Amino acid sequence: MRELLSLTPCFSGVWRTRKTKNRFNGLLRPVETVETVPSSCTAHFTPLKQGVNERRWGSRARICEIFGLATLEATTTRTFSFLVALLTILSAASHALADEEESATELAKKTQNPVSDLISVPFESNFNFNNGNRDATVYVLNVQPIIPFHLNKDWNLITRTILPIVNEPSSFSPGGSAFGLGDINPSFFLSPAKSGTFMWGIGPTFTLPTATDSRLGSHRFSMGPAAAALMIQGPWLVGVLVNNQWSVTGWGHHRPVNEMLLEPFVNYNFGNGWHLSTELIMTADWEAKAGQRWTVPLGGGAGKLFRVGKLPVDTTLEAFWNVEHPDYAGDWQLRFRVTFVLPGFKR
């Protein structure tokens, strides 16, 4: 005797198809209803004997088609295909996220590289605390556009310009405050276009007497050599930037300029744009008296590169304590930098 498997009611919490019978024109017709049942139970199968129903509706295949059982195999195939497609999409998404994480990390490294062939515009806010005998806070906003030029297949010219906007309150009892543009400092680095883990650049640096207030500048045109060298090894980026300038000309009764800047920097990149960093901007005024020449900070901070739409933006917050500084100079500093990266305009 042939048998046919038919789904019978099972209160099991999944969507299932239930076949009921309805009398129409004197015949029993199958009517499909959909119910929700608990998910803890599986479907049960009841054998149907061949008889009047099969004779009335035709062959066994016809009965299966009427009762919707002929589509069980097709449904299983479609479900399996859907699961495979979903797993493929999730795998592709995970790879996309990994690529985005790697891209954010690489962009973060480039913002930390002073001779990177990438256009970026950092806005660096510096709060210098406890200046003078009135413990005044001097605020300096350094706008520092970095623009590379590809001279040929072997060499790049990296331009790095510092435009300081200074707010200097009265630091001493008799004295006034000042606000405005300070002396602009452009630097030019000739750097190999094809570099490996070690990168370097060398060129001239200048200080232009553009201060809008006599208290905000040197009143001298100065120039000198500048150099940068760094190494990238895995998550580490370590390097140094150094220059020394001498005054060439100027006006007024202002002392000559002979100053050095030494800036070692260390960055550790965790991935997904997060990084730890320290940039120790040390300065030496060789014209000052002994004991009043050096400013040596110690400290560091952390940062994160993220995207605003498609625009990469790197942010860094650092704090430094001046372990060595001239009398009446600020003893500690808070630095917050926002860097807009423009990879689409890379030259």
Side-chain angles (χ1 to χ4, degrees), residues 284-306:
D285 183 357
W286 304 118
E287 295 292 330
K289 296 184 297 183
Q292 302 294 312
R293 292 177 179 175
W294 283 93
T295 300
V296 180
L298 183 63
K304 173 75 166 70
L305 186 139
F306 59 94

PDB file of all heavy atoms in Angstrom, residues 284-306:
ATOM      1  N   ALA A 284      65.311  76.296  21.715  1.00  0.00           N
ATOM      2  CA  ALA A 284      66.509  76.865  22.349  1.00  0.00           C
ATOM      3  C   ALA A 284      66.749  78.247  21.753  1.00  0.00           C
ATOM      4  O   ALA A 284      66.869  78.386  20.530  1.00  0.00           O
ATOM      5  CB  ALA A 284      67.716  75.971  22.130  1.00  0.00           C
ATOM      6  N   ASP A 285      66.793  79.249  22.601  1.00  0.00           N
ATOM      7  CA  ASP A 285      67.108  80.620  22.204  1.00  0.00           C
ATOM      8  C   ASP A 285      68.572  80.865  22.535  1.00  0.00           C
ATOM      9  O   ASP A 285      68.932  81.137  23.686  1.00  0.00           O
ATOM     10  CB  ASP A 285      66.186  81.594  22.940  1.00  0.00           C
ATOM     11  CG  ASP A 285      66.406  83.037  22.508  1.00  0.00           C
ATOM     12  OD1 ASP A 285      67.311  83.282  21.676  1.00  0.00           O
ATOM     13  OD2 ASP A 285      65.690  83.921  23.012  1.00  0.00           O
ATOM     14  N   TRP A 286      69.432  80.776  21.520  1.00  0.00           N
ATOM     15  CA  TRP A 286      70.866  80.869  21.749  1.00  0.00           C
ATOM     16  C   TRP A 286      71.306  82.286  22.120  1.00  0.00           C
ATOM     17  O   TRP A 286      72.437  82.468  22.595  1.00  0.00           O
ATOM     18  CB  TRP A 286      71.637  80.391  20.520  1.00  0.00           C
ATOM     19  CG  TRP A 286      71.282  79.000  20.084  1.00  0.00           C
ATOM     20  CD1 TRP A 286      70.740  78.625  18.909  1.00  0.00           C
ATOM     21  CD2 TRP A 286      71.464  77.788  20.832  1.00  0.00           C
ATOM     22  NE1 TRP A 286      70.546  77.271  18.849  1.00  0.00           N
ATOM     23  CE2 TRP A 286      70.995  76.729  20.025  1.00  0.00           C
ATOM     24  CE3 TRP A 286      71.963  77.490  22.101  1.00  0.00           C
ATOM     25  CZ2 TRP A 286      71.012  75.401  20.436  1.00  0.00           C
ATOM     26  CZ3 TRP A 286      71.985  76.168  22.504  1.00  0.00           C
ATOM     27  CH2 TRP A 286      71.525  75.138  21.697  1.00  0.00           C
ATOM     28  N   GLU A 287      70.456  83.257  21.910  1.00  0.00           N
ATOM     29  CA  GLU A 287      70.794  84.637  22.268  1.00  0.00           C
ATOM     30  C   GLU A 287      70.463  84.942  23.735  1.00  0.00           C
ATOM     31  O   GLU A 287      70.868  85.990  24.249  1.00  0.00           O
ATOM     32  CB  GLU A 287      70.037  85.620  21.360  1.00  0.00           C
ATOM     33  CG  GLU A 287      70.433  85.556  19.894  1.00  0.00           C
ATOM     34  CD  GLU A 287      71.848  86.061  19.664  1.00  0.00           C
ATOM     35  OE1 GLU A 287      72.305  86.947  20.435  1.00  0.00           O
ATOM     36  OE2 GLU A 287      72.518  85.573  18.725  1.00  0.00           O
ATOM     37  N   ALA A 288      69.714  84.061  24.378  1.00  0.00           N
ATOM     38  CA  ALA A 288      69.340  84.295  25.779  1.00  0.00           C
ATOM     39  C   ALA A 288      70.482  83.915  26.704  1.00  0.00           C
ATOM     40  O   ALA A 288      71.432  83.213  26.322  1.00  0.00           O
ATOM     41  CB  ALA A 288      68.090  83.503  26.122  1.00  0.00           C
ATOM     42  N   LYS A 289      70.390  84.373  27.934  1.00  0.00           N
ATOM     43  CA  LYS A 289      71.411  84.054  28.935  1.00  0.00           C
ATOM     44  C   LYS A 289      71.338  82.574  29.332  1.00  0.00           C
ATOM     45  O   LYS A 289      70.296  81.923  29.177  1.00  0.00           O
ATOM     46  CB  LYS A 289      71.219  84.931  30.172  1.00  0.00           C
ATOM     47  CG  LYS A 289      71.422  86.412  29.922  1.00  0.00           C
ATOM     48  CD  LYS A 289      71.305  87.216  31.203  1.00  0.00           C
ATOM     49  CE  LYS A 289      69.921  87.104  31.803  1.00  0.00           C
ATOM     50  NZ  LYS A 289      69.797  87.957  33.034  1.00  0.00           N
ATOM     51  N   ALA A 290      72.410  82.073  29.813  1.00  0.00           N
ATOM     52  CA  ALA A 290      72.440  80.683  30.273  1.00  0.00           C
ATOM     53  C   ALA A 290      71.392  80.484  31.362  1.00  0.00           C
ATOM     54  O   ALA A 290      71.208  81.318  32.239  1.00  0.00           O
ATOM     55  CB  ALA A 290      73.830  80.335  30.805  1.00  0.00           C
ATOM     56  N   GLY A 291      70.686  79.379  31.290  1.00  0.00           N
ATOM     57  CA  GLY A 291      69.607  79.105  32.236  1.00  0.00           C
ATOM     58  C   GLY A 291      68.258  79.610  31.770  1.00  0.00           C
ATOM     59  O   GLY A 291      67.233  79.301  32.391  1.00  0.00           O
ATOM     60  N   GLN A 292      68.272  80.425  30.695  1.00  0.00           N
ATOM     61  CA  GLN A 292      67.020  80.967  30.165  1.00  0.00           C
ATOM     62  C   GLN A 292      66.821  80.563  28.703  1.00  0.00           C
ATOM     63  O   GLN A 292      65.951  81.117  28.028  1.00  0.00           O
ATOM     64  CB  GLN A 292      67.025  82.497  30.276  1.00  0.00           C
ATOM     65  CG  GLN A 292      67.219  83.030  31.674  1.00  0.00           C
ATOM     66  CD  GLN A 292      66.043  82.691  32.570  1.00  0.00           C
ATOM     67  OE1 GLN A 292      64.885  82.882  32.207  1.00  0.00           O
ATOM     68  NE2 GLN A 292      66.334  82.161  33.760  1.00  0.00           N
ATOM     69  N   ARG A 293      67.576  79.610  28.238  1.00  0.00           N
ATOM     70  CA  ARG A 293      67.561  79.293  26.809  1.00  0.00           C
ATOM     71  C   ARG A 293      66.538  78.228  26.423  1.00  0.00           C
ATOM     72  O   ARG A 293      65.867  78.338  25.406  1.00  0.00           O
ATOM     73  CB  ARG A 293      68.959  78.822  26.378  1.00  0.00           C
ATOM     74  CG  ARG A 293      70.007  79.913  26.423  1.00  0.00           C
ATOM     75  CD  ARG A 293      71.388  79.367  26.054  1.00  0.00           C
ATOM     76  NE  ARG A 293      72.398  80.423  26.073  1.00  0.00           N
ATOM     77  CZ  ARG A 293      73.696  80.215  25.895  1.00  0.00           C
ATOM     78  NH1 ARG A 293      74.147  78.968  25.712  1.00  0.00           N
ATOM     79  NH2 ARG A 293      74.533  81.227  25.928  1.00  0.00           N
ATOM     80  N   TRP A 294      66.417  77.203  27.220  1.00  0.00           N
ATOM     81  CA  TRP A 294      65.682  76.011  26.789  1.00  0.00           C
ATOM     82  C   TRP A 294      64.241  76.000  27.300  1.00  0.00           C
ATOM     83  O   TRP A 294      63.968  76.409  28.422  1.00  0.00           O
ATOM     84  CB  TRP A 294      66.383  74.749  27.283  1.00  0.00           C
ATOM     85  CG  TRP A 294      67.594  74.390  26.481  1.00  0.00           C
ATOM     86  CD1 TRP A 294      68.882  74.748  26.745  1.00  0.00           C
ATOM     87  CD2 TRP A 294      67.623  73.608  25.295  1.00  0.00           C
ATOM     88  NE1 TRP A 294      69.728  74.231  25.784  1.00  0.00           N
ATOM     89  CE2 TRP A 294      68.977  73.531  24.875  1.00  0.00           C
ATOM     90  CE3 TRP A 294      66.643  72.972  24.523  1.00  0.00           C
ATOM     91  CZ2 TRP A 294      69.377  72.832  23.736  1.00  0.00           C
ATOM     92  CZ3 TRP A 294      67.042  72.277  23.388  1.00  0.00           C
ATOM     93  CH2 TRP A 294      68.390  72.218  23.004  1.00  0.00           C
ATOM     94  N   THR A 295      63.374  75.489  26.439  1.00  0.00           N
ATOM     95  CA  THR A 295      62.023  75.078  26.827  1.00  0.00           C
ATOM     96  C   THR A 295      61.885  73.611  26.455  1.00  0.00           C
ATOM     97  O   THR A 295      61.970  73.253  25.270  1.00  0.00           O
ATOM     98  CB  THR A 295      60.940  75.907  26.121  1.00  0.00           C
ATOM     99  OG1 THR A 295      61.091  77.286  26.468  1.00  0.00           O
ATOM    100  CG2 THR A 295      59.551  75.424  26.517  1.00  0.00           C
ATOM    101  N   VAL A 296      61.697  72.758  27.460  1.00  0.00           N
ATOM    102  CA  VAL A 296      61.663  71.306  27.235  1.00  0.00           C
ATOM    103  C   VAL A 296      60.374  70.750  27.853  1.00  0.00           C
ATOM    104  O   VAL A 296      60.240  70.678  29.078  1.00  0.00           O
ATOM    105  CB  VAL A 296      62.883  70.603  27.860  1.00  0.00           C
ATOM    106  CG1 VAL A 296      62.815  69.101  27.606  1.00  0.00           C
ATOM    107  CG2 VAL A 296      64.172  71.190  27.304  1.00  0.00           C
ATOM    108  N   PRO A 297      59.407  70.357  27.024  1.00  0.00           N
ATOM    109  CA  PRO A 297      58.168  69.780  27.549  1.00  0.00           C
ATOM    110  C   PRO A 297      58.263  68.267  27.677  1.00  0.00           C
ATOM    111  O   PRO A 297      59.097  67.617  27.047  1.00  0.00           O
ATOM    112  CB  PRO A 297      57.135  70.163  26.485  1.00  0.00           C
ATOM    113  CG  PRO A 297      57.930  70.173  25.214  1.00  0.00           C
ATOM    114  CD  PRO A 297      59.337  70.588  25.581  1.00  0.00           C
ATOM    115  N   LEU A 298      57.370  67.716  28.482  1.00  0.00           N
ATOM    116  CA  LEU A 298      57.268  66.269  28.655  1.00  0.00           C
ATOM    117  C   LEU A 298      55.792  65.919  28.786  1.00  0.00           C
ATOM    118  O   LEU A 298      55.086  66.482  29.634  1.00  0.00           O
ATOM    119  CB  LEU A 298      58.034  65.811  29.893  1.00  0.00           C
ATOM    120  CG  LEU A 298      58.079  64.295  30.153  1.00  0.00           C
ATOM    121  CD1 LEU A 298      58.811  63.585  29.024  1.00  0.00           C
ATOM    122  CD2 LEU A 298      58.742  63.995  31.492  1.00  0.00           C
ATOM    123  N   GLY A 299      55.316  65.011  27.936  1.00  0.00           N
ATOM    124  CA  GLY A 299      53.901  64.641  27.988  1.00  0.00           C
ATOM    125  C   GLY A 299      53.469  63.942  26.716  1.00  0.00           C
ATOM    126  O   GLY A 299      54.287  63.447  25.942  1.00  0.00           O
ATOM    127  N   GLY A 300      52.182  63.898  26.481  1.00  0.00           N
ATOM    128  CA  GLY A 300      51.629  63.239  25.302  1.00  0.00           C
ATOM    129  C   GLY A 300      50.121  63.165  25.390  1.00  0.00           C
ATOM    130  O   GLY A 300      49.490  63.826  26.223  1.00  0.00           O
ATOM    131  N   GLY A 301      49.537  62.350  24.523  1.00  0.00           N
ATOM    132  CA  GLY A 301      48.074  62.245  24.503  1.00  0.00           C
ATOM    133  C   GLY A 301      47.606  61.158  23.565  1.00  0.00           C
ATOM    134  O   GLY A 301      48.349  60.230  23.213  1.00  0.00           O
ATOM    135  N   ALA A 302      46.367  61.265  23.123  1.00  0.00           N
ATOM    136  CA  ALA A 302      45.736  60.261  22.266  1.00  0.00           C
ATOM    137  C   ALA A 302      44.886  60.950  21.224  1.00  0.00           C
ATOM    138  O   ALA A 302      44.538  62.128  21.357  1.00  0.00           O
ATOM    139  CB  ALA A 302      44.893  59.292  23.097  1.00  0.00           C
ATOM    140  N   GLY A 303      44.552  60.191  20.181  1.00  0.00           N
ATOM    141  CA  GLY A 303      43.745  60.759  19.108  1.00  0.00           C
ATOM    142  C   GLY A 303      42.968  59.703  18.361  1.00  0.00           C
ATOM    143  O   GLY A 303      43.136  58.505  18.578  1.00  0.00           O
ATOM    144  N   LYS A 304      42.127  60.179  17.452  1.00  0.00           N
ATOM    145  CA  LYS A 304      41.264  59.286  16.672  1.00  0.00           C
ATOM    146  C   LYS A 304      40.988  59.922  15.314  1.00  0.00           C
ATOM    147  O   LYS A 304      40.675  61.105  15.227  1.00  0.00           O
ATOM    148  CB  LYS A 304      39.934  59.064  17.410  1.00  0.00           C
ATOM    149  CG  LYS A 304      38.875  58.291  16.611  1.00  0.00           C
ATOM    150  CD  LYS A 304      39.209  56.816  16.556  1.00  0.00           C
ATOM    151  CE  LYS A 304      38.023  55.978  16.067  1.00  0.00           C
ATOM    152  NZ  LYS A 304      37.728  56.207  14.617  1.00  0.00           N
ATOM    153  N   LEU A 305      41.162  59.137  14.262  1.00  0.00           N
ATOM    154  CA  LEU A 305      40.767  59.576  12.931  1.00  0.00           C
ATOM    155  C   LEU A 305      39.401  58.996  12.601  1.00  0.00           C
ATOM    156  O   LEU A 305      39.179  57.798  12.744  1.00  0.00           O
ATOM    157  CB  LEU A 305      41.796  59.143  11.884  1.00  0.00           C
ATOM    158  CG  LEU A 305      41.536  59.696  10.474  1.00  0.00           C
ATOM    159  CD1 LEU A 305      42.845  60.130   9.806  1.00  0.00           C
ATOM    160  CD2 LEU A 305      40.834  58.662   9.582  1.00  0.00           C
ATOM    161  N   PHE A 306      38.476  59.853  12.201  1.00  0.00           N
ATOM    162  CA  PHE A 306      37.139  59.425  11.820  1.00  0.00           C
ATOM    163  C   PHE A 306      36.749  60.146  10.542  1.00  0.00           C
ATOM    164  O   PHE A 306      37.535  60.921   9.985  1.00  0.00           O
ATOM    165  CB  PHE A 306      36.134  59.695  12.954  1.00  0.00           C
ATOM    166  CG  PHE A 306      36.038  61.141  13.348  1.00  0.00           C
ATOM    167  CD1 PHE A 306      35.073  61.971  12.797  1.00  0.00           C
ATOM    168  CD2 PHE A 306      36.911  61.684  14.287  1.00  0.00           C
ATOM    169  CE1 PHE A 306      34.989  63.308  13.155  1.00  0.00           C
ATOM    170  CE2 PHE A 306      36.831  63.013  14.663  1.00  0.00           C
ATOM    171  CZ  PHE A 306      35.865  63.826  14.087  1.00  0.00           C
TER     172      PHE A 306
END
